[in-house]
Amino acid sequence: MPKDILSYFGIKEGSSRDIIIHETCVNSILVKSKIYGVDYAVNPYVGCAHGCVYCYARYIFERKGINPSLWGKVVFVKRNAPSVLLREIRVAKKGLTLLSSVTDAYQFIEKEYMITRKLLDILTKHQYPITILTKSDLVLRDLDLIKRTEAEIGFTIVTIDDKVREIFEPKATPIEKRLLALKKITNMGFHTYVFIGPILPIFTEKDLTLIFEEVNEYGVQRVLVDKLNLKAKNWIFINEALNNFSSKIKYEFWKKAKSKEFYELLRKRIIQLGKKYNIRIDFCY
């Protein structure tokens, strides 16, 4: 993979084009997962158009020799993923499959490419249990397939404030749309969960009670929580995003982000909120 990927696609630095999309082929799609309780991870895309500044999955770009600053600007579509999955699923042992671990299977380019839907069609026909994690209400489109098998659908929510969301998750679906989709899916009888991850010091902690109130109102029974993971130089992009706030907030953010005590105290608070609302809490840290 060429390191100067903008030149490779004939696009100059500072181009007004929002997303560079490149179709590619893969040798494998049903990958054994290192995530506790999950057997396989399926990632229909490399990269994510949501461009979340905190995303540690930028390390995928680093592994491919791509500048991590291009996260959210370049997405690779695994166009042969459905045919590869058909081949792999014939010999693989059935297991819980996550869509997705290092991308969002329902980022907006999925509307056009429909790779996720094709993969779901195969997985559900073979009765693979699935768990989905997304920031997009586009998942509503595929409920007809998802209902074929044992499934759990989760939405990432790290803030209730959409102005904060616009800074940290610039091209992701607005919070209100996620909550409305969550409500609809839960009311339809699907198992749902909310992922509070990563915890954004100051911002997530301020909204924790509101998040739990919303989760409780919609009947969600599980919340998964993870702390901020600083890999692949994502701290650089977080730091840039923090320039939208006061120097005091920026200082406090990093002070807490580097503090084990902060995460332990927040863990205790989250456990108490879980007890209050009778919601199961699972921590990734």
Side-chain angles (χ1 to χ4, degrees), residues 241-274:
L242 289 170
N243 288 333
N244 289 280
F245 306 95
S246 69
S247 57
K248 180 180 179 181
I249 287 177
K250 191 173 185 178
Y251 172 80
E252 287 297 322
F253 180 97
W254 287 120
K255 181 180 178 180
K256 291 181 175 183
K258 298 173 183 179
S259 168
K260 291 183 179 179
E261 183 182 7
F262 165 74
Y263 286 113
E264 286 307 311
L265 288 173
L266 206 61
R267 182 186 181 99
K268 292 176 182 178
R269 182 182 166 195
I270 291 168
I271 289 171
Q272 288 302 314
L273 284 167

Side-chain angles (χ1 to χ4, degrees), residues 15-79:
S15 170
S16 61
R17 186 174 175 181
D18 286 333
I19 300 293
I20 303 166
I21 300 174
H22 179 57
E23 296 182 11
T24 187
C25 291
V26 293
N27 297 319
S28 181
I29 191 69
L30 192 66
V31 179
K32 288 186 178 180
S33 173
K34 296 180 181 179
I35 298 172
Y36 179 78
V38 175
D39 298 296
Y40 303 106
V42 170
N43 291 287
Y45 306 99
V46 177
C48 183
H50 288 162
C52 300
V53 298
Y54 55 69
C55 189
Y56 69 85
R58 293 171 190 266
Y59 77 85
I60 296 295
F61 273 19
E62 282 201 319
R63 284 182 179 178
K64 294 180 177 294
I66 303 171
N67 191 322
S69 68
L70 293 177
W71 188 263
K73 300 176 183 177
V74 180
V75 178
F76 297 85
V77 179
K78 300 179 182 180
R79 64 181 183 183

Side-chain angles (χ1 to χ4, degrees), residues 30 82-97 118-130 145 148-150:
L30 192 66
S83 60
V84 172
L85 180 60
L86 273 173
R87 184 190 72 226
E88 293 182 322
I89 211 166
R90 293 192 185 104
V91 295
K93 183 180 178 181
K94 190 180 295 185
L96 180 61
T97 303
K118 292 171 184 175
L119 294 171
L120 271 175
D121 187 34
I122 296 166
L123 288 166
T124 57
K125 278 181 179 176
H126 286 79
Q127 289 294 292
Y128 270 57
I130 58 173
L145 300 180
R148 293 174 177 173
T149 191
E150 180 185 345

